[in-house]
Amino acid sequence: MDKNNFVITIGRQFGSGGRELGKILADKLGIRYYDKELLCEAAKNAGVSEEFFEKSDEKFPRFFSGLLSFTMGYNPYTLYSGSTSISDDSLYKAQSDFIRSVAENESCVIVGRSANYVLRNHPRCVNVFIHAPIEECVKRIMKRGDKPTEEKARAMAEKTNKLRANYYNFYTDKTWGDASSYDLTIDSSLLPMDDVAEVIIEYIRRRFGVTR
């Protein structure tokens, strides 16, 4: 591991702007950005369908069939859980191993996937949780076209947050969204997203001496 590498992980309530923040941070810092699309791409390159990946993405464990292999330019490995099925536990392990491989090789931003817990032993990892009042999340969900009405947007946010919490709490010894599980927790409705990013960058600069 390059001693100058650092990683930002972002946990987020649905509709709070976690992915937008992650992309802004990556752009400002000149580092790579990773979210579920990157991991889906890894699955496709391994011959695993996007549907397979989507069904298990940040959801409470279920069981599926298949063989999963990630390469993406890092150390390749294959996980196989018997002759007929690969479990969500195995898929979680595959994701986690891939996240650790990325963090070993470069500075980056990783959104979701309980990355703060996966990288708990990484010496230069900043863990952020982004949240906002439900009314603000509903506005963002509707603005980006996920749902057409406030009622549907609220239901989507509540369901997704419950799935994310169950996933995170199942696979870690921490509590999703609890301040003690992160270095920084920020209400994204209180500042423009660029300013939220600058707050995080200033924290990183002071903690690690990182310069842009």
Side-chain angles (χ1 to χ4, degrees):
M1 178 189 297
D2 186 328
K3 66 179 182 179
N4 294 317
N5 283 354
F6 64 93
V7 181
I8 304 169
T9 73
I10 300 177
R12 72 283 185 230
Q13 288 182 336
F14 189 76
S16 65
R19 293 178 67 193
E20 178 186 353
L21 174 63
K23 291 176 181 178
I24 292 172
L25 283 168
D27 183 62
K28 286 177 175 287
L29 291 166
I31 60 179
R32 292 284 297 275
Y33 167 85
Y34 293 94
D35 61 12
K36 74 175 183 180
E37 277 69 29
L38 179 280
L39 297 175
C40 281
E41 187 65 29
K44 284 197 296 181
N45 288 347
V48 179
S49 71
E50 288 187 56
E51 290 76 14
F52 172 92
F53 195 89
E54 287 285 347
K55 285 179 181 178
S56 187
D57 185 48
E58 290 192 301
K59 296 180 177 68
F60 201 73
R62 296 184 296 176
F63 289 89
F64 299 95
S65 298
L67 179 66
L68 188 61
S69 174
F70 286 133
T71 55
M72 293 296 288
Y74 299 98
N75 294 331
Y77 52 87
T78 299
L79 296 172
Y80 190 60
S81 61
S83 59
T84 59
S85 69
I86 181 169
S87 70
D88 284 310
D89 284 348
S90 294
L91 184 54
Y92 178 80
K93 184 180 186 303
Q95 290 183 11
S96 299
D97 286 350
F98 183 75
I99 287 169
R100 281 188 286 266
S101 294
V102 167
E104 281 280 325
N105 283 274
E106 62 184 340
S107 295
C108 58
V109 179
I110 302 174
V111 177
R113 276 80 262 154
S114 67
N116 68 314
Y117 183 77
V118 173
L119 299 177
R120 60 193 179 279
N121 296 320
H122 192 292
R124 289 165 63 86
C125 185
V126 172
N127 303 307
V128 180
F129 188 84
I130 300 300
H131 59 95
I134 185 63
E135 294 79 13
E136 296 300 320
C137 292
V138 165
K139 289 178 185 177
R140 183 183 293 273
I141 292 165
M142 294 176 63
K143 183 178 180 180
R144 67 193 188 195
D146 288 350
K147 292 294 179 181
T149 67
E150 290 186 8
E151 182 181 5
K152 290 182 178 180
R154 180 183 290 266
M156 185 180 192
E158 291 173 349
K159 179 180 179 180
T160 304
N161 287 337
K162 183 176 181 180
L163 290 170
R164 287 178 177 173
N166 287 342
Y167 173 92
Y168 184 92
N169 297 344
F170 179 84
Y171 282 115
T172 80
D173 59 3
K174 297 177 179 292
T175 301
W176 185 80
D178 188 280
S180 64
S181 298
Y182 309 89
D183 299 310
L184 299 171
T185 58
I186 301 176
D187 183 339
S188 61
S189 71
L190 300 179
L191 291 170
M193 201 61 82
D194 269 1
D195 290 351
V196 174
E198 288 296 333
V199 169
I200 296 169
I201 290 169
E202 179 63 16
Y203 175 84
I204 292 170
R205 186 186 70 80
R206 289 174 177 267
R207 182 170 167 185
F208 299 137
V210 171
T211 58
R212 287 180 283 173

PDB file of all heavy atoms in Angstrom, residues 1 49-50 65 101 126 199:
ATOM      1  N   MET A   1       0.835  -1.194   0.000  1.00  0.00           N
ATOM      2  CA  MET A   1       0.000   0.000   0.000  1.00  0.00           C
ATOM      3  C   MET A   1       0.875   1.251   0.000  1.00  0.00           C
ATOM      4  O   MET A   1       1.804   1.362   0.789  1.00  0.00           O
ATOM      5  CB  MET A   1      -0.917   0.014   1.236  1.00  0.00           C
ATOM      6  CG  MET A   1      -1.791   1.265   1.330  1.00  0.00           C
ATOM      7  SD  MET A   1      -2.671   1.389   2.891  1.00  0.00           S
ATOM      8  CE  MET A   1      -3.712  -0.055   2.810  1.00  0.00           C
ATOM      9  N   SER A  49     -24.699 -11.803 -14.480  1.00  0.00           N
ATOM     10  CA  SER A  49     -25.670 -10.829 -14.962  1.00  0.00           C
ATOM     11  C   SER A  49     -25.850  -9.691 -13.976  1.00  0.00           C
ATOM     12  O   SER A  49     -25.693  -9.855 -12.768  1.00  0.00           O
ATOM     13  CB  SER A  49     -27.030 -11.497 -15.193  1.00  0.00           C
ATOM     14  OG  SER A  49     -27.632 -11.838 -13.959  1.00  0.00           O
ATOM     15  N   GLU A  50     -26.216  -8.514 -14.511  1.00  0.00           N
ATOM     16  CA  GLU A  50     -26.508  -7.369 -13.650  1.00  0.00           C
ATOM     17  C   GLU A  50     -27.688  -7.675 -12.734  1.00  0.00           C
ATOM     18  O   GLU A  50     -27.739  -7.209 -11.598  1.00  0.00           O
ATOM     19  CB  GLU A  50     -26.817  -6.141 -14.500  1.00  0.00           C
ATOM     20  CG  GLU A  50     -25.615  -5.538 -15.194  1.00  0.00           C
ATOM     21  CD  GLU A  50     -25.969  -4.228 -15.865  1.00  0.00           C
ATOM     22  OE1 GLU A  50     -26.463  -3.329 -15.169  1.00  0.00           O
ATOM     23  OE2 GLU A  50     -25.758  -4.117 -17.084  1.00  0.00           O
ATOM     24  N   SER A  65     -27.784 -18.764  -7.391  1.00  0.00           N
ATOM     25  CA  SER A  65     -26.922 -19.748  -8.048  1.00  0.00           C
ATOM     26  C   SER A  65     -25.869 -19.042  -8.878  1.00  0.00           C
ATOM     27  O   SER A  65     -26.103 -17.971  -9.405  1.00  0.00           O
ATOM     28  CB  SER A  65     -27.750 -20.658  -8.966  1.00  0.00           C
ATOM     29  OG  SER A  65     -28.690 -21.375  -8.198  1.00  0.00           O
ATOM     30  N   SER A 101      -9.051  -4.537  -2.248  1.00  0.00           N
ATOM     31  CA  SER A 101      -8.065  -4.480  -3.328  1.00  0.00           C
ATOM     32  C   SER A 101      -7.948  -3.070  -3.888  1.00  0.00           C
ATOM     33  O   SER A 101      -6.849  -2.560  -4.118  1.00  0.00           O
ATOM     34  CB  SER A 101      -8.446  -5.443  -4.452  1.00  0.00           C
ATOM     35  OG  SER A 101      -8.370  -6.781  -4.033  1.00  0.00           O
ATOM     36  N   VAL A 126     -11.363   7.701   5.845  1.00  0.00           N
ATOM     37  CA  VAL A 126     -12.312   8.641   6.453  1.00  0.00           C
ATOM     38  C   VAL A 126     -13.719   8.167   6.129  1.00  0.00           C
ATOM     39  O   VAL A 126     -14.076   7.996   4.964  1.00  0.00           O
ATOM     40  CB  VAL A 126     -12.100  10.071   5.926  1.00  0.00           C
ATOM     41  CG1 VAL A 126     -13.211  10.988   6.424  1.00  0.00           C
ATOM     42  CG2 VAL A 126     -10.743  10.601   6.364  1.00  0.00           C
ATOM     43  N   VAL A 199     -15.964  20.822   3.365  1.00  0.00           N
ATOM     44  CA  VAL A 199     -15.824  20.494   4.791  1.00  0.00           C
ATOM     45  C   VAL A 199     -15.072  19.182   4.962  1.00  0.00           C
ATOM     46  O   VAL A 199     -14.159  19.059   5.789  1.00  0.00           O
ATOM     47  CB  VAL A 199     -17.214  20.423   5.471  1.00  0.00           C
ATOM     48  CG1 VAL A 199     -17.097  19.819   6.873  1.00  0.00           C
ATOM     49  CG2 VAL A 199     -17.853  21.805   5.541  1.00  0.00           C
TER      50      VAL A 199
END
